[in-house]
Amino acid sequence: MSLLVVGSVALDSVETPFGKVDDALGGSAVYISTAASFFTAPIRLVGVVGGDFSKEHIEFLEERDVDLEGLQVVEEGKTFRWGGRYHYDLNARDTLFTHLNAFEQFKPIIPVSYKKTAYVCLGNIDPVLQRQVLEQIQKPRFVIGDTMNYWIQTKPNELRDTMKVMDAIVVNESEARLLTNEPNLIKAAKKIIALGPKVVIVKKGEHGAVLVTEDTIFSAPAYPLENIYDPTGAGDAFAGGFAGWLSKTDDLSNENLKRAVIYGSSLASFCVEKFSVDGLRDLTKLKIQDRYRSFMELSRFDEGR
Ligand code: AMP
């Protein structure tokens, strides 16, 4: 099935205790599309970049078969830039800067060829823009949304309006708590369900993820990696793996949602092994399948006596 992805296309400057990159390819739409491209086609990207966005980055997406008809290029503008710093506790990061640049004036225009798209993944951008994208698509089958603290704090009402039209939402622990004022994550997920999305996934960094629906709670571990170089994009790679699997299988049963969570976790685990999108660059379907199986082994146990 087709998958439409909207989100930031960015140049990221990231520092971790293990290294540093400047103006590296990033952004929610880039990580989501790349991760999803291992599962499904076509992937239709909606976003904006400035004249400073290199041809090499465009080629990277084209090689992954991402349709870029919906990527606007503002020749006289600059690409969205984000800077972040991680400490030894890689679960916490400081945002050093967010320069919206071309995103400030961005009006999403959905190409005619994108209008009938079955699955939609609303990557982390202004919730007003997420909504404008959805309004231009003819009845999508399933809408997955992401957001971040920045939007929860600066556009709470707009975000709540957009959440009403999401079928699933992917948030991290702090976002779940901030959205609901509820410290307990399961209660928070249930409060989020009351706001619209029927499926809530709370990501807990190196502690895995929890899937909550009206009648299911599923807890997935994180892959126990020994070397994590750059957590940037892990959440988006998760969303891309999750959305990609659902779009490939077109099965929205609880059991398949659980599989999608494990595929999401697999993609996130590859993403953090290198800086920027490099962890996804040389990835293969076979490596993903191996990691999926390792996840099955990780928490398999018997009843005992
Ligand atoms: P994640 O680590 O999955 O939360 O995603 C990190 C990516 O989100 C980076 O590549 C950033 O370029 C992008 N990003 C950071 N802040 C924002 C924002 N306010 N709006 C859109 N994208 C953002």
Side-chain angles (χ1 to χ4, degrees):
M1 291 261 151
S2 50
L3 172 68
L4 184 145
V5 176
V6 57
S8 53
V9 178
L11 295 174
D12 290 342
S13 296
V14 177
E15 266 178 70
T16 84
F18 313 106
K20 186 173 179 295
V21 283
D22 283 315
D23 280 350
L25 179 60
S28 52
V30 169
Y31 282 106
I32 295 170
S33 309
T34 308
S37 69
F38 292 96
F39 300 100
T40 195
I43 293 177
R44 298 165 172 160
L45 188 143
V46 176
V48 64
V49 292
D52 55 352
F53 194 70
S54 84
K55 210 168 148 247
E56 179 201 325
H57 296 333
I58 298 275
E59 281 166 8
F60 168 78
L61 291 164
E62 283 174 348
E63 277 160 20
R64 303 261 10 120
D65 267 342
V66 178
D67 182 342
L68 299 179
E69 199 189 335
L71 180 69
Q72 294 175 30
V73 182
V74 182
E75 286 300 341
E76 66 287 4
K78 280 188 157 188
T79 301
F80 174 92
R81 275 177 172 73
W82 176 80
R85 183 189 293 133
Y86 296 83
H87 305 277
Y88 274 103
D89 173 2
L90 292 168
N91 282 316
R93 76 174 169 210
D94 304 326
T95 288
L96 302 178
F97 57 85
T98 302
H99 298 152
L100 292 178
N101 296 336
F103 258 105
E104 244 162 320
Q105 309 296 329
F106 178 55
K107 295 259 169 306
I109 301 161
I110 306 299
V112 179
S113 63
Y114 284 21
K115 299 240 174 202
K116 279 191 190 159
T117 304
Y119 283 76
V120 176
C121 192
L122 303 171
N124 165 35
I125 44 164
D126 185 333
V128 175
L129 296 178
Q130 291 179 321
R131 186 78 194 250
Q132 287 172 3
V133 168
L134 266 189
E135 280 162 1
Q136 297 176 62
I137 301 167
Q138 293 170 17
K139 270 206 180 177
R141 180 157 154 70
F142 200 72
V143 178
I144 299 150
D146 188 8
T147 190
M148 77 185 312
N149 290 0
Y150 184 84
W151 303 114
I152 300 172
Q153 282 161 330
T154 58
K155 304 227 168 156
N157 299 329
E158 293 84 345
L159 178 60
R160 280 185 180 231
D161 276 347
T162 304
M163 282 172 65
K164 288 185 193 142
V165 286
M166 290 179 188
D167 296 293
I169 189 165
V170 183
V171 284
N172 67 29
E173 287 172 275
S174 71
E175 291 156 1
R177 293 189 174 113
L178 196 62
L179 262 171
T180 57
N181 274 324
E182 169 56 61
N184 177 284
L185 290 179
I186 302 301
K187 283 189 187 160
K190 291 189 170 166
K191 280 192 172 179
I192 295 175
I193 290 178
L195 296 174
K198 299 178 283 293
V199 177
V200 177
I201 292 138
V202 183
K203 297 165 293 174
K204 301 190 294 172
E206 60 183 335
H207 305 296
V210 189
L211 165 84
V212 182
T213 69
E214 198 69 56
D215 56 359
T216 324
I217 297 181
F218 172 64
S219 177
Y223 191 74
L225 288 172
E226 292 195 18
N227 295 309
I228 301 177
Y229 286 104
D230 175 13
T232 308
D236 302 316
F238 179 100
F242 179 82
W245 177 256
L246 289 182
S247 152
K248 170 189 167 79
T249 53
D250 195 29
D251 169 359
L252 299 171
S253 65
N254 281 336
E255 286 313 305
N256 203 48
L257 287 170
K258 293 179 192 173
R259 290 180 206 117
V261 167
I262 301 296
Y263 277 114
S265 306
S266 303
L267 267 296
S269 73
F270 285 112
C271 177
V272 302
E273 285 182 308
K274 291 185 182 158
F275 274 86
S276 175
V277 292
D278 288 352
L280 306 177
R281 225 177 257 277
D282 303 320
L283 195 54
T284 60
K285 288 182 183 168
L286 199 63
K287 287 188 195 166
I288 296 171
Q289 207 52 40
D290 276 351
R291 194 151 286 183
Y292 182 88
R293 292 211 181 92
S294 309
F295 267 99
M296 290 169 72
E297 285 308 316
L298 259 183
S299 39
R300 195 196 301 279
F301 52 93
D302 66 21
E303 221 174 335
R305 286 168 202 275

